[in-house]
Amino acid sequence: MNKPIMHDPTFLAQKAAPATKADAAVITDLLDTLNANADRCVGMAANMIGVNKRIIVCQIGPLAVPLVNPVITKKSGAFTTEEGCLSLSGQRRTQRYKNITVQYADQNFLSHTQEFSGWVAQIIQHEVDHCNGILI
């Protein structure tokens, strides 16, 4: 279900709780909401739809991919960039990394470790920041 976007910085600044299989419907809601905002959004965290769980979805090419309980375990190639966010107005400067390694579960709660680079790595870092209560 397409959900409204959360704009409350106090809520968004909270660290998200780990997701469990009981949170599976949140993945569907995130995918639906990302799809509904595809013209202005390439990633979304559960707290952006008012659910304080460690679930993100990222547009990877033509696919929207959920990452459950994502943790960045390795990063390299620091750079400074500007990003926007559906939950916040304007653009803000932030530091990102060109290459990252992420441990996460898929929507079937199977564990994965995967390397990401470039634009996809930047999207994932932004959404993992949301899970950690970090607002750019």
Side-chain angles (χ1 to χ4, degrees):
M1 175 180 290
N2 180 14
K3 299 286 189 173
I5 303 300
M6 171 67 67
H7 298 282
D8 178 1
T10 303
F11 180 82
L12 294 168
Q14 296 177 49
K15 278 193 156 192
T20 68
K21 290 182 181 181
D23 299 310
V26 176
I27 297 168
T28 301
D29 291 343
L30 269 175
L31 290 167
D32 290 349
T33 307
L34 179 63
N35 184 51
N37 290 281
D39 61 330
R40 58 193 183 122
C41 184
V42 292
M44 194 166 283
N47 66 354
M48 294 175 66
I49 61 168
V51 179
N52 199 19
K53 294 288 185 162
R54 287 190 69 83
I55 305 171
I56 67 173
V57 293
C58 300
Q59 197 67 41
I60 300 177
L63 300 174
V65 178
L67 288 80
V68 179
N69 297 320
V71 176
I72 298 170
T73 59
K74 186 176 176 185
K75 49 193 174 185
S76 66
F79 68 98
T80 300
T81 188
E82 287 193 3
E83 295 176 353
C85 181
L86 275 182
S87 291
L88 306 168
S89 61
Q91 298 273 317
R92 292 171 177 80
R93 291 180 65 79
T94 188
Q95 181 173 300
R96 296 291 181 221
Y97 295 86
K98 293 178 187 174
N99 305 295
I100 61 172
T101 302
V102 183
Q103 290 180 340
Y104 67 96
D106 62 25
Q107 68 187 98
N108 296 313
F109 289 83
L110 299 173
S111 287
H112 299 273
T113 299
Q114 189 170 348
E115 294 179 10
F116 297 94
S117 61
W119 178 236
V120 173
Q122 187 174 343
I123 297 167
I124 291 170
Q125 290 169 80
H126 180 103
E127 303 313 333
V128 168
D129 276 358
H130 270 293
C131 291
N132 293 331
I134 299 169
L135 304 178
I136 61 163

